Amino acid sequence: MGMTATQKILAAHAGREAVAAGELLTVPVDLVLGNDITAPVAIREMERAGCDRVFDRDRIALVLDHFTPNKDLAAARQCSAVRAFAERHAIKHFYDVGVMGVEHALLPEKGLAAPGEVIIGADSHTCTYGALGAFSTGVGSTDMAAGMATGRAWFKVPGAIRVELTGTLARPLCGKDVVLRLIGLLGVDGAQYLSLEFGGAGVASLPMDDRFTVANMAVECGAKNGLFPVDAATRAYLSGRVTRPWTDCTADGDAVYERTVTVDLDALTPLVACPHLPSRVRPASELSHVPVSQVVIGSCTNGRLEDMRAAAEVLRGRRVRGGVRCLVIPASQEIYLQSLREGLLEVFVEAGAAVSTPTCGPCLGGHMGVLDEGEVCVSTTNRNFVGRMGHTKSEVYLAGPAVAAASAVAGHIAVP
Amino acid sequence: MSIFVYGDNVNTDVIIPARYLVRSDPASLAAHCMEDIDADFAQTVAPGDVVVAGQNFGCGSSREHAPLALRACRVSCVIAKSFARIFYRNAINIGLPILECPEAVDGISPGDRVTADIATGRIENKTTGRVFAARPLPPFVRGIIDAGGLLPWIARAETGASDDGEGAV
């Protein structure tokens, strides 16, 4: 029986000819990731278990991105704990304020994810690297501790849903519209314990930044990972970033999928996920009655250069409407610098938006834009659960950067 | 012994809101457990109580603080129709008892008295007298739980005490 691409990656790492869905196995991992919220727990668990060595100081990434720049004393203490651990173990890929980025924007940029690799991260959006053809998935802090100590992780081999992309993605549509459509079709647990494996002629029309957005939100329909095929765009992205050898694992022709879902890119319209689930998807054009208090453009989902460009295109020469706070957060130092060089930051500031250093801050109601009771935010982030960005009686509408920027200008949900 | 009954898609943001993730000690997490879905939970939950929920329990963020908060409240078991993947493995890895049993969830109402045996998967609604059998955990997973969590399981495997034949993680 044929294997999915995910199964082939897991089999290769397990040193096996074949694996089957449902099997439990342990495999060596290529990279273990943690951040300033999840790593302190992992470090504590390692110490509690009496483990004072890491398996490979070059295969651990620690990124201080969630409550940074330190939002308060408690956050400062958590960052100090991670900083001390990184120093003690001479962790090569340790990223602090000034060189950091939102982890899932940063790691691909730094060449830390490549096709065919197995990556675990103590952050649910670790599935982002599937855009590059890696098997990457979110785990908890104890898995991270075990991964740092032993270089291995346990997995149940997932089955898969094949996601067929047909047609061509064209602006102002973006990866967010693709993935919101998919989550709307599958529901928030429609891919529970499964891989999403993307394919079809439409894939080629998705720039890499859009693929990152799509793979990033695979977890929002319960998926273990979301995997894109490796093509010319992937190779172009990897060029100059990844110099180590990597493996292109393509699904077998007779691979078994639980089902196939088709997303017709030609039939897409700008979409928004309404409170309080990412699956409550509606056309943005039907939501112009929703007034907006805040707009956030950034995050591991939509804080990349293409997202900055899309937002700037809408905001250029226009003004954020009075009564709306618009926050723009380039997701990494590299994206920030490139946005600066292209004049995008000037566009944002002239439009009346506030531009921030990279941080996860507002996405999880951490800092930088916490919502009060009754406030409504249009956000390019990934979750709109009750209380996600602040007060339990605030509301979050998820959208792509162009819809978010258009909503900032209009003062209500709007289509670019 | 009380039960707390919730619906589908109870996510980790409501189990422990991110604003409390600046700390990870059990007492701090327990004090705010379930706060955004049930403001009284932390004050009323007692050791041995059971949480009952619908589908996709623990979806969203990978924060291990969520099962840690429930464990810190000394919840004896979470019974759900299904669990989100990361919560499921986190619960196993830290030794928080969980049982997947849609029939039991449908057969339990607020106020019922419920007992659950994690070893056998037997769930009994003492109020109605109905008995349910949860889906048994795979032996590999039971091995981790029996060891007291992933790190003790690894330590056991490294000292050669493992008898599950799977090798160290």
Side-chain angles (χ1 to χ4, degrees):
Chain A
M1 193 169 72
M3 289 189 286
T4 67
T6 298
Q7 290 165 358
K8 287 173 96 165
I9 295 172
L10 288 173
H13 278 70
R16 297 256 303 269
E17 281 289 310
V19 296
E23 250 187 282
L24 285 151
L25 72 171
T26 64
V27 300
V29 297
D30 296 294
L31 189 74
V32 180
L33 163 71
N35 58 50
D36 56 303
I37 290 178
T38 57
V41 177
I43 292 165
R44 186 181 69 198
E45 290 305 310
M46 268 184 84
E47 286 168 355
R48 188 174 290 170
C51 176
D52 58 359
R53 293 167 68 177
V54 297
F55 85 106
D56 186 341
R57 70 174 200 91
D58 296 346
R59 289 178 181 272
I60 293 168
L62 297 171
V63 186
L64 305 183
D65 60 356
H66 274 61
F67 291 160
T68 56
N70 297 346
K71 84 180 180 90
D72 57 22
L73 189 54
R77 289 200 170 128
Q78 294 199 135
C79 288
S80 293
V82 180
R83 212 171 275 128
F85 179 88
E87 192 173 331
R88 188 162 70 251
H89 294 283
I91 300 299
K92 185 177 173 188
H93 304 295
F94 169 65
Y95 296 100
D96 208 337
V97 171
V99 293
M100 54 72 82
V102 174
E103 52 198 339
H104 309 307
L106 182 72
L107 265 54
E109 206 174 74
K110 297 290 183 190
L112 295 179
E117 293 186 338
V118 170
I119 298 170
I120 59 167
D123 187 281
S124 59
H125 294 107
T126 301
C127 51
T128 307
Y129 320 128
L132 291 169
F135 170 76
S136 63
T137 192
V139 297
S141 293
T142 296
D143 278 310
M144 183 195 172
M148 288 198 295
T150 68
R152 301 176 73 85
W154 68 273
F155 295 110
K156 184 163 86 172
V157 177
I161 294 174
R162 161 107 177 160
V163 182
E164 189 77 16
L165 301 180
T166 62
T168 305
L169 188 75
R171 298 294 180 226
L173 294 167
C174 63
K176 191 62 155 284
D177 301 306
V178 178
V179 76
L180 289 182
R181 171 82 180 127
L182 183 61
I183 297 165
L185 287 170
L186 291 174
V188 289
D189 61 352
Q192 194 67 263
Y193 303 115
L194 298 171
S195 304
L196 298 177
E197 295 206 348
F198 296 89
V203 169
S205 68
L206 268 70
M208 278 313 303
D209 282 0
D210 292 80
R211 297 184 200 183
F212 284 123
T213 303
V214 174
N216 172 276
M217 287 188 73
V219 66
E220 306 310 334
C221 44
K224 187 171 204 146
N225 66 315
L227 201 66
F228 274 85
V230 174
D231 66 6
T234 323
R235 291 192 180 86
Y237 184 89
L238 294 168
S239 168
R241 288 192 169 94
V242 176
T243 51
R244 63 189 177 281
W246 48 265
T247 315
D248 179 2
C249 290
T250 309
D252 291 325
D254 58 346
V256 177
Y257 298 97
E258 298 227 341
R259 61 188 282 209
T260 296
V261 174
T262 301
V263 175
D264 181 2
L265 303 176
D266 290 336
L268 270 185
T269 57
L271 296 172
V272 171
C274 301
H276 292 284
L277 284 176
S279 56
R280 296 208 173 123
V281 177
R282 289 182 61 187
S285 59
E286 293 176 10
L287 295 165
S288 58
H289 59 282
V290 179
V292 175
S293 349
Q294 178 172 290
V295 168
V296 171
I297 299 168
S299 84
C300 62
T301 310
N302 278 119
R304 297 183 182 79
L305 191 59
E306 286 290 335
D307 302 312
M308 296 297 118
R309 288 173 178 158
E313 195 168 313
V314 174
L315 290 170
R316 183 170 283 116
R318 298 163 84 185
R319 291 285 301 175
V320 171
R321 193 169 177 91
V324 179
R325 292 109 53 193
C326 181
L327 312 178
V328 182
I329 311 177
S332 72
Q333 291 290 100
E334 186 179 311
I335 297 163
Y336 192 105
L337 185 59
Q338 187 58 31
S339 299
L340 183 70
R341 286 177 175 149
E342 292 184 17
L344 309 180
L345 302 189
E346 191 175 342
V347 170
F348 298 141
V349 174
E350 282 188 344
V355 180
S356 161
T357 191
T359 180
C360 305
C363 172
L364 70 165
H367 67 148
M368 296 286 297
V370 176
L371 298 176
D372 193 10
E373 181 174 1
E375 291 193 324
V376 174
C377 184
V378 174
S379 182
T380 68
T381 54
N382 41 59
R383 292 196 175 116
N384 55 357
F385 299 148
V386 171
R388 170 73 179 179
M389 292 181 74
H391 199 281
T392 53
K393 288 181 178 155
S394 61
E395 291 187 330
V396 179
Y397 290 78
L398 304 176
V403 168
S407 303
V409 171
H412 55 79
I413 292 179
V415 178
Chain B
M1 205 272 314
S2 305
I3 61 165
F4 294 82
V5 181
Y6 304 105
D8 293 340
N9 303 316
V10 174
N11 64 76
T12 54
D13 273 283
V14 297
I15 297 172
I16 183 75
R19 58 186 177 275
Y20 301 120
L21 299 184
V22 288
R23 301 174 67 101
S24 60
D25 56 293
S28 303
L29 296 175
H32 301 290
C33 189
M34 308 299 270
E35 187 171 292
D36 282 0
I37 192 175
D38 182 354
D40 297 331
F41 180 86
Q43 280 70 48
T44 51
V45 68
D49 286 355
V50 173
V51 169
V52 179
Q55 291 183 359
N56 205 24
F57 186 87
C59 63
S61 158
S62 68
R63 64 191 68 160
E64 200 161 292
H65 308 65
L68 284 172
L70 289 164
R71 193 180 72 180
C73 291
R74 300 181 65 190
V75 164
S76 66
C77 185
V78 180
I79 303 168
K81 288 188 179 178
S82 67
F83 290 92
R85 189 189 68 79
I86 303 175
F87 184 93
Y88 183 82
R89 66 184 294 134
N90 285 347
I92 290 162
N93 286 342
I94 69 162
L96 172 73
I98 52 171
L99 290 173
E100 200 168 85
C101 188
E103 302 80 17
V105 173
D106 286 333
I108 295 172
S109 306
D112 288 353
R113 286 186 59 239
V114 174
T115 58
D117 185 334
I118 186 75
T120 62
R122 186 177 186 276
I123 299 165
E124 184 176 354
N125 186 335
K126 296 275 191 186
T127 306
T128 64
R130 290 182 66 190
V131 174
F132 306 94
R135 192 174 299 174
L137 295 168
F140 176 87
V141 168
R142 274 300 305 275
I144 295 174
I145 291 175
D146 289 347
L150 182 63
L151 295 174
W153 181 80
I154 291 170
R156 186 185 288 188
E158 281 175 350
T159 57
S162 171
D163 58 1
D164 59 19
E166 297 280 356
V169 164

